Amino acid sequence: MRAALALTLAVVLLGCGSPNEDVPDGDWPIVPLAPAPQVVASGLDAPCGLALVGGHLYVAEEAGDRIVRVPVAGGDSTEVATLAGPTYLAAAGDDLVVSQRAAGSVSRVRGGAVTELAGGQASPGRVRADGSDVFFIVEGTGNDGAIRRVSVEGEGLTDVASGLATPRGLAVSGDRCYFTELGTGQIGFVPAAGDEPPTRRTDARGTPYAVAVDAAASQVYWVEPGTRKGGWVRRADLDLAGPISVG
């Protein structure tokens, strides 16, 4: 499994290069070769979002206007909901929450029924669930991006952070939301309660995208596209205060 993940990560990074990126200091990390990953499902119509719930994968088919369920061991897909242009997915207990970029909505899927939680959003992106709260990125059109929170029942829509420059990555860990900003090339975090301004790491390089948190190891990881060999993964401590490492 780790070997397949390494190959998948290498392919993703090779496809994300940007001609204007700097290269990191020191030696480039070597990603070992691995056997080709197993095909779990094929014939999907522009699959985008992915969520693992129990023994099934849920896939958002953005061009197919539906969400399908696939056994993790592979097999036939089963349609669980139809909705306009589902983009990103997250599990919220037995529910799914999904962003719909073109429709400007964030919705809940419960037992096949689709309920809009937040409408009128400017390009909603990554979505995460934490208990009864749903957090999502609003990419916006410049410096009007935001992180917003709403309950899984569609109540209490509020800004966690606003005035962000095209936010892309989102991770929720403990009482913090970590994010990346494409417009500034920075990574930062903000209290999930939204009661303090963001803390940013201003010396992050490039254009960071996805972000992940390992709270047990006190590490934050993020992906930055690059020129040589496609890009790299960086890490820092949870406060983004220590040195940035490549690895």
Side-chain angles (χ1 to χ4, degrees):
M1 179 64 73
R2 291 184 178 178
L5 179 59
L7 177 62
T8 302
L9 179 59
V11 172
V12 170
L13 295 181
L14 283 168
C16 293
S18 172
N20 297 319
E21 301 303 333
D22 295 327
V23 297
D25 298 328
D27 295 332
W28 283 84
I30 298 174
V31 179
L33 295 177
Q38 176 188 352
V39 176
V40 176
S42 60
L44 302 176
D45 195 354
C48 189
L50 184 68
L52 175 63
V53 182
H56 289 87
L57 292 167
Y58 290 81
V59 185
E61 290 188 65
E62 191 168 22
D65 293 333
R66 66 176 189 162
I67 297 172
V68 298
R69 182 179 64 238
V70 182
V72 292
D76 295 334
S77 61
T78 302
E79 183 177 285
V80 297
T82 59
L83 67 168
T87 312
Y88 294 104
L89 287 176
D94 293 330
D95 300 330
L96 293 172
V97 288
V98 53
S99 62
Q100 299 163 260
R101 190 194 307 275
S105 297
V106 173
S107 299
R108 182 193 70 213
V109 178
R110 176 178 292 171
V114 179
T115 301
E116 185 179 73
L117 304 180
Q121 308 299 308
S123 297
R126 268 75 171 180
V127 59
R128 301 286 183 262
D130 184 48
S132 61
D133 288 325
V134 176
F135 297 86
F136 61 94
I137 287 286
V138 175
E139 295 179 2
T141 57
N143 293 322
D144 58 349
I147 301 171
R148 292 191 172 131
R149 183 183 70 243
V150 66
S151 81
V152 74
E153 301 301 331
E155 301 170 344
L157 178 63
T158 187
D159 281 354
V160 174
S162 59
L164 303 182
T166 317
R168 285 295 174 87
L170 177 64
V172 179
S173 179
D175 60 354
R176 289 177 175 177
C177 292
Y178 290 83
F179 63 91
T180 61
E181 281 183 293
L182 185 63
T184 63
Q186 296 177 0
I187 180 170
F189 66 83
V190 65
D195 53 358
E196 295 180 17
T199 297
R200 290 178 171 88
R201 183 69 186 246
T202 59
D203 60 345
R205 293 184 177 182
T207 51
Y209 275 78
V211 59
V213 178
D214 184 350
S218 299
Q219 293 287 294
V220 181
Y221 300 85
W222 66 96
V223 171
E224 293 181 2
T227 52
R228 289 183 58 192
K229 301 183 181 179
W232 54 91
V233 178
R234 294 188 182 274
R235 68 177 183 267
D237 63 39
L238 295 180
D239 293 328
L240 304 178
I244 295 177
S245 302
V246 177

